Structure formats: C-alpha cells, structure tokens
Amino acid sequence: MPTVQGAIPHHIAIVMDGNGRWATRRFLPRLAGHRQGVESLRRCVHACVQRGVGVLTVFAFSSENRNRPADEVSGLMDLLAKALTREVPQLARDGVQVHFVGEKSGISAQVREGLQRAEAATAGNQRLVLNVCFNYGGRWDITQAAAALAARGEPITEASLHAAMGMAHVPDPDLLIRTGGERRISNFLLWQAAYTELYFSDRLWPDFDEAALDEAIADFAARERRFGQTSDQVQAQQPGSLRA
C-alpha cells in the first residue's frame, strides 16, 4: 500500500474534466476519451480505498452536458449502462457503497433501473462511499431541496436545506480536485463546497493517475484549514499545543 505523508482528506470530490480533449489530441472520437475516463475512475476508486479515503464524489455528467451533441449524450448514456454492468460486482467485492446523485427524471427508464440495482447491490458496504453525480447541477440541488421543503410546508433553514439535498448522506468535501487545466467548479457542489479546499490539475482526466492523486493529497495536507478562525486559534486547538 502506498504511503502518503500528512492528513488524508475524508471526502474527496473530483470534476473529471478533459476526456474529450484527450481523445481529440489523439485523433479519436470524443467517446473514446470518455471510455478511457472510466478506466481512470476505476484506478482512482481503488487508490482511494487503499489510502483510507472515506468518501469519493465524482462529477460524471452535468445537467448542462445535455446541451452537447446528441450522439455524444447518447453514447455517454450507453457507456454508463455498460459500466454499471461491468463495474458494480467488483465495487461490491471491494466494499464500495455507490450512490447516484442527480435528476433521475431526465434519463431513460433502463438507465434508472440500472442505477437502482447498483445502489441496492452495494448498500451494505462501508469501506468507501462513491457518489456519482449524474445529470447533476449544484443549482438544481439547491432548488430541488428548497422546493421539497416548501411542498412539505417545512421552514427553510440552513440545516433543513442541507438535509434535503442529494449529498445529505455524507459530510461536505474536504478537497475538490478539478483536472483538465480549468480553474472553476462549474456548478458542482455549490452548497457543499463552501469551505472545501480547491486543487486544480493541468492533467486531462484520462491521464490523472495514482501519483497525481497523491500530489493533490500532499498539497491538501500542507494547508491550514481555518473555517473562519484565525491561524492562532486553529493552532491553539491542535493536540499537544501549549495553548490548547
């Protein structure tokens, strides 16, 4: 098992960007890049299990991605269905609990049934929680949570809104990684990333390997997370501090 120095983030979120560009640079169809992206996700899940990460959340397909060419969207849906069939048995054996977060009404009944089967098959696993954000957007998540509370006649507070969101089953991410060289979060976990550490990699997602993950974790471990406090306050709370 690899050794990573410093604190390991409990919850890592990843914007898996760059599949299409990876394929284009190799004169391949964009869907070939998405297939290679699935391979990178498989490696990343295994690496997170090895390193003791508790939760991995990935941005697989945004609500805005539906505006892409129809053949690419259709290919992505087909790729998801095939990946579920192939990957879920191994995920179950590895102790990975799978959740799909996003608007389910916008996808086919066949794919919805596949998502439900995958969640049911892995529901008892506790080694790693894998959240796949599919047909998801941060603004959608906030809106649907507020609408659900309003429909039930419940007051909309910070706590109730958080509890009604698609990610209520896990704590907020500690580290958010975006690959592909872009420096934005693109409507991903807008509510949950309020105090998340951001890390941007120039590597395209199919090239993001275990070493790249370790670099991101090492960068995270070197940071001081203050959550609105001063550095002196944070240091005073550390175990062994003379001021604690």
Side-chain angles (χ1 to χ4, degrees):
M1 180 181 298
T3 300
V4 181
Q5 298 297 323
I8 300 294
H10 176 72
H11 183 175
I12 295 177
I14 304 179
V15 180
M16 305 181 296
D17 191 23
N19 292 336
R21 282 175 286 158
W22 183 91
T24 299
R25 291 177 185 179
R26 289 161 176 77
F27 304 101
L28 297 170
R30 288 177 60 86
L31 198 57
H34 294 302
R35 293 193 186 97
Q36 191 62 37
V38 172
E39 298 301 317
S40 292
L41 178 56
R42 179 189 295 117
R43 293 199 310 267
C44 186
V45 170
H46 182 68
C48 285
V49 169
Q50 286 189 315
R51 287 152 180 77
V53 174
V55 183
L56 174 64
T57 300
V58 297
F59 205 3
F61 187 84
S62 75
S63 48
E64 290 79 14
N65 287 156
R66 283 194 164 275
N67 297 321
R68 292 186 175 186
D71 58 343
E72 182 174 352
V73 173
S74 176
L76 281 167
M77 293 295 179
D78 184 60
L79 181 62
L80 174 64
K82 291 179 178 177
L84 286 172
T85 301
R86 184 178 67 248
E87 302 295 338
V88 167
Q90 185 61 51
L91 291 171
R93 289 192 292 270
D94 290 343
V96 178
Q97 181 185 129
V98 183
H99 294 262
F100 293 93
V101 182
E103 177 54 67
K104 304 294 197 305
S105 64
I107 57 180
S108 71
Q110 179 183 5
V111 172
R112 283 202 307 272
E113 290 170 4
L115 303 184
Q116 292 169 355
R117 287 195 299 270
E119 289 179 335
T122 61
N125 295 336
Q126 298 182 351
R127 196 170 183 187
L128 174 74
V129 175
L130 172 62
N131 299 306
V132 180
C133 292
F134 191 83
N135 203 28
Y136 169 91
R139 290 180 175 178
W140 163 85
D141 197 9
I142 296 170
T143 302
Q144 67 82 27
L149 292 172
R152 297 196 295 263
E154 299 180 17
I156 297 177
T157 66
E158 183 173 331
S160 67
L161 196 62
H162 181 85
M165 288 189 180
M167 297 286 292
H169 59 287
V170 293
D172 291 344
D174 302 294
L175 172 64
L176 190 155
I177 300 168
R178 180 173 184 146
T179 64
E182 304 291 354
R183 303 294 192 267
R184 57 180 180 270
I185 60 175
S186 296
N187 198 21
F188 184 45
L189 303 179
L190 296 182
W191 177 275
Q192 296 84 358
Y195 280 98
T196 298
E197 298 295 322
L198 305 181
Y199 179 87
F200 300 103
S201 172
D202 290 331
R203 296 195 190 202
L204 303 178
W205 174 244
D207 295 327
F208 194 85
D209 56 14
E210 294 85 348
L213 177 66
D214 288 341
E215 289 174 8
I217 292 175
D219 185 89
F220 168 84
R223 302 186 190 185
E224 181 181 71
R225 307 188 72 198
R226 295 191 294 273
F227 299 98
Q229 295 182 320
T230 68
S231 182
D232 286 344
Q233 286 176 304
V234 172
Q235 292 176 19
Q237 296 167 15
Q238 298 300 318
S241 171
L242 295 178
R243 291 174 288 177

